[in-house]
């Protein structure tokens, strides 16, 4: 259970992100480039790493459900070695 992020951003802020950013983020998610994607999100959102992690995980979950074949690793292998 990931719980609720106390520093999470308003959904309107997330929805206002440019389409190009989502394409870049999706590419990073499929390639398991967690830290570069989180850094980009933190910079764009100006909400710190906690907010970036919340957005990243939500997008990962959505993509894992909608495009499971695009991932080259299992869920457990994907997150192995990443500690937040």
């Amino acid at each position: 259970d990931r719980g609720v992020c106390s520093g999470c951003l308003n959904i309107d802020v997330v929805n206002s992100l440019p389409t190009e950013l989502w394409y870049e983020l999706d590419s990073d998610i499929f390639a398991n480039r967690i830290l570069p994607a989180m850094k980009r999100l933190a910079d764009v959102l100006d909400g710190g790493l906690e907010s970036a992690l919340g957005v990243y995980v939500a997008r990962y979950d959505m993509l894992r459900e909608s495009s499971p074949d695009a991932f080259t690793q299992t869920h457990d292998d994907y997150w192995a070695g990443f500690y937040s």
Side-chain angles (χ1 to χ4, degrees), residues 33-47:
R33 293 188 298 258
I34 298 170
L35 294 179
M38 286 188 49
K39 168 79 169 89
R40 181 180 300 122
L41 278 169
D43 290 347
V44 170
L45 297 172
D46 197 29

Side-chain angles (χ1 to χ4, degrees), residues 27-84:
S27 178
D28 285 340
I29 290 172
F30 290 132
N32 196 14
R33 293 188 298 258
I34 298 170
L35 294 179
M38 286 188 49
K39 168 79 169 89
R40 181 180 300 122
L41 278 169
D43 290 347
V44 170
L45 297 172
D46 197 29
L49 290 177
E50 185 177 4
S51 294
L53 179 59
V55 172
Y56 186 97
V57 169
R59 189 68 173 188
Y60 165 86
D61 288 343
M62 188 273 303
L63 291 173
R64 182 60 86 169
E65 184 175 318
S66 66
S67 306
D69 295 336
F71 289 88
T72 59
Q73 298 173 303
T74 66
H75 172 80
D76 290 337
D77 289 343
Y78 187 93
W79 293 105
F82 179 79
Y83 305 97
S84 61

